[in-house]
């Protein structure tokens, strides 16, 4: 079972992979690394036209993570009027989306899902009932 502190450390390490940091000391330079990524994104925007991508994320936690990650890189996620809250639209160079934004989001999402699943299972077992398994399949 991951503790919240272990999860935070894991998220920092995942972010560090995408920011180029590899040691604890380099974490102090994380802000500069993010700024370099933003500058690279701006340069891509000058050479590669941003595309408008629409994402549908029914899970509010995953959507909030994606929105925060977009904003961290200086992107401005939005949705059009009358679109559902589960819709996120972002204008981004395709190469940045494919090489940086989406892979980082997937890794962070998976780490958070694992933590939330473990915490939910533990709380149910400890506070509701010890057997938190799925329902058995019945033939009739």
């Amino acid at each position: 079972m991951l503790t919240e502190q272990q999860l935070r450390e894991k998220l920092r390490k995942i972010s560090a992979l995408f920011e180029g940091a590899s040691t604890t000391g380099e974490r102090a330079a994380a802000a500069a690394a993010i700024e370099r990524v933003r500058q690279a994104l701006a340069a891509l925007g000058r050479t590669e036209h941003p595309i408008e991508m629409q994402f549908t994320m029914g899970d509010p936690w995953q959507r909030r993570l994606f929105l925060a990650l977009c904003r961290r890189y200086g992107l401005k996620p939005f949705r059009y009027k009358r679109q559902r809250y589960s819709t996120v639209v972002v204008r981004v160079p395709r190469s940045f989306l494919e090489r940086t934004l989406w892979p980082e989001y997937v890794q962070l999402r998976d780490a958070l899902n694992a933590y939330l699943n473990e915490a939910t299972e533990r709380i149910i077992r400890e506070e509701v009932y010890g057997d938190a398994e799925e329902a058995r399949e019945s033939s009739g």
Side-chain angles (χ1 to χ4, degrees), residues 19 21 24-34 36:
E19 294 164 3
T24 304
E26 290 177 350
R27 258 198 331 243
I34 289 172
R36 285 192 305 274

Side-chain angles (χ1 to χ4, degrees), residues 33-53:
I34 289 172
E35 187 56 35
R36 285 192 305 274
V37 171
R38 285 182 181 165
Q39 289 173 357
L41 179 58
L44 271 176
R46 290 188 293 275
T47 60
E48 181 182 338
H49 291 314
I51 58 171
E52 186 173 285
M53 291 294 298

